[in-house]
Amino acid sequence: MANIFDVPSAWRGELMPASYNDARFHCEVNTRESGRRIVEHEFPKKELPYAEDMGRQAREFSVRGYCIVYPHDSEILLFTRDYRAARNLLIDALEREGPGVLQLPTQPPQLVVCSRYRITEEERFGGYCVFDMMFLEYGIDSQRWAPSLDTAGALTGASETMRQQTLRVLSPAAVTSAGLNV
């Protein structure tokens, strides 16, 4: 009887190793959650509501990963006899301030921040630890990336333009040419 690994598939060759800020881990499960931000308006004396689309929700990633002991050491830190080095590297990456790059096996890299994580180590499973991690899409800080506007300068310029136009309209030459007697 054949199993799922016997079925040829192109996507298996494109799987990426899981990592966060270059700290690699094995990925058991990952989920990505998002949607649309919808505000529903209901009005008095109206039978139909109005749903307003306010844009895409921020993406959230829930990841269950693990670090485990290997029977021999490799040049890759993740594959060693002592899983604690990979564990400590991942903990450091998760606790570092600021955004980082999350690479999941089946998804493109994402710029995220780790909002929380849980590490579980059980004595009966020596040489093995499980990480439950929550990441939030980092996005773009609108205050930081928006072009800075000189509102005081814009207001001064607009008011000066209005003043000049008013003086032109109310000048004695403009009043006489309009046929108004002053």
Side-chain angles (χ1 to χ4, degrees):
M1 181 166 120
N3 65 33
I4 194 159
F5 294 106
D6 295 333
V7 178
S9 58
W11 64 268
R12 286 192 202 284
E14 296 176 7
L15 290 176
M16 298 295 294
S19 66
Y20 177 65
N21 271 355
D22 296 325
R24 291 180 57 179
F25 57 92
H26 299 285
C27 185
E28 183 176 319
V29 176
N30 71 78
T31 61
R32 174 175 150 171
E33 186 176 331
S34 189
R36 304 296 299 174
R37 290 178 293 145
I38 304 296
V39 176
E40 187 170 9
H41 303 282
E42 295 186 50
F43 302 101
K45 304 288 185 186
K46 299 291 180 185
E47 295 297 320
L48 295 175
Y50 167 65
E52 184 177 5
D53 189 336
M54 303 295 286
R56 181 178 61 79
Q57 285 182 346
R59 294 180 180 130
E60 295 180 14
F61 300 88
S62 299
V63 179
R64 172 166 283 174
Y66 62 92
C67 299
I68 191 168
V69 166
Y70 272 81
H72 59 283
D73 287 338
S74 158
E75 67 277 354
I76 299 172
L77 184 62
L78 185 61
F79 305 106
T80 62
R81 291 182 193 160
D82 188 356
Y83 77 101
R84 294 176 302 172
R87 176 200 66 190
N88 294 344
L89 189 64
L90 183 54
I91 288 172
D92 290 344
L94 293 169
E95 292 181 348
R96 195 172 309 134
E97 184 179 352
V101 176
L102 175 65
Q103 175 64 66
L104 295 172
T106 59
Q107 297 183 31
Q110 298 279 331
L111 190 61
V112 298
V113 290
C114 179
S115 60
R116 69 180 185 273
Y117 74 92
R118 174 186 298 126
I119 180 172
T120 306
E121 294 177 284
E122 297 181 44
E123 188 176 320
R124 65 185 175 138
F125 297 126
Y128 174 77
C129 65
V130 175
F131 283 88
D132 291 304
M133 302 167 275
M134 289 293 299
F135 298 97
L136 302 174
E137 179 180 27
Y138 187 66
I140 297 173
D141 182 357
S142 61
Q143 298 296 329
R144 191 174 191 189
W145 296 104
S148 59
L149 298 175
D150 179 15
T151 53
L155 184 58
T156 302
S159 114
E160 184 59 32
T161 302
M162 178 64 81
R163 181 177 177 277
Q164 294 298 329
Q165 288 175 349
T166 304
L167 289 175
R168 268 196 313 272
V169 169
L170 296 178
S171 71
V175 171
T176 308
S177 66
L180 298 174
N181 295 328
V182 181

